[in-house]
Amino acid sequence: MANELVTLDGYPLTGATRDGVWKRLGEIEGWWDSPPPRRQRADRTNGDGSFSTPIEYGNRLITYEGRVISKNHDYLHQAAGILTSLGHRGNTKFLVQGHGPTQWAMVDPRGPVKTSFETDSYLNFQIPLEAIDPFKYGESYAVPGNTTDPASLFHRGTVPAWPVVTVSASSSSGYTLTLNGRQVVVTRAIASTAPHEIDFKTGILRVDGAVVRGGLSTANFSPINPGMPQNMSISTGTGSYGSITVRYSDTYI
């Protein structure tokens, strides 16, 4: 497609670069599919079937195959060198644009990059990747709110998105965050010079960047559901003011 863009660690794997013209071959294996669902089976000893247990997902396995056509053999080898170094340390962004919403995932190498020199001016290649976080993400948001104006949240993904919330306030009695009727009550005092950060997916509280244990009395975390407006509010002690920034991304499976 004319508007297709695929990048790994910011480098384009489609289109023209100094080193040659890059083209995708075939489908991006594992990208459009769902990752494998998994659950711990718990058989009913005195009944039919099994107990219902949460469904989780395994790692997403991705294989990207492409071709590079260069103007000469030297440039072709430069392209091959770029290929073997892309994402070699892991935790790099793989991004696909031009097929509906732009989506990306953080990936690690799953095996060696394979190159095949077909002529002096073009080569075929294969890059095996693994996303240990199987979800794909799109547009990212940073939505502000405070004790008088809740943060207005919405995302266009297909599955719930877990936010990371930064809290700035000055309250010796802590504060309460509310989303979708579920409350996270933080009892640890907060100072204006040491903001709090709460990851709603992991339940980890950080104070001024350091992990803190035991700072929550109620931890009823809720994700941001797709396709519907929601509000997150903050309430603090009497007479005190607090503000929040809610960070999240469109989330897909």
Side-chain angles (χ1 to χ4, degrees), residues 77-127:
H77 273 279
Q78 290 184 36
I82 291 170
L83 278 169
T84 55
S85 64
L86 283 178
H88 74 288
R89 293 296 185 186
N91 196 36
T92 53
K93 180 182 285 189
F94 181 77
L95 179 145
V96 178
Q97 177 181 308
H99 302 280
T102 298
Q103 297 180 353
W104 55 270
M106 302 306 291
V107 297
D108 297 331
R110 182 165 54 90
V113 175
K114 296 180 179 179
T115 57
S116 173
F117 289 82
E118 304 298 328
T119 72
D120 281 349
S121 60
Y122 88 80
L123 65 81
N124 293 333
F125 65 89
Q126 182 184 86
I127 307 175

Side-chain angles (χ1 to χ4, degrees), residues 103-223:
Q103 297 180 353
W104 55 270
M106 302 306 291
V107 297
D108 297 331
R110 182 165 54 90
V113 175
K114 296 180 179 179
T115 57
S116 173
F117 289 82
E118 304 298 328
T119 72
D120 281 349
S121 60
Y122 88 80
L123 65 81
N124 293 333
F125 65 89
Q126 182 184 86
I127 307 175
L129 301 167
E130 179 176 23
I132 60 175
D133 176 354
F135 292 92
K136 298 182 291 186
Y137 300 95
E139 186 175 352
S140 296
Y141 309 92
V143 182
N146 55 55
T147 46
T148 57
D149 295 309
S152 181
L153 311 176
F154 182 87
H155 84 91
R156 295 176 175 82
T158 56
V159 296
W162 290 97
V164 176
V165 183
T166 301
V167 182
S168 297
S170 179
S171 173
S172 60
S173 58
Y175 53 91
T176 298
L177 303 175
T178 304
L179 173 62
N180 293 326
R182 297 163 68 175
Q183 292 187 334
V184 176
V185 180
V186 180
T187 54
R188 183 182 176 93
I190 181 171
S192 59
T193 56
H196 289 191
E197 180 183 275
I198 304 176
D199 187 328
F200 271 45
K201 186 173 185 178
T202 63
I204 292 177
L205 167 67
R206 290 180 170 86
V207 176
D208 203 20
V211 175
V212 172
R213 307 294 181 187
L216 309 177
S217 68
T218 302
N220 198 1
F221 295 104
S222 172

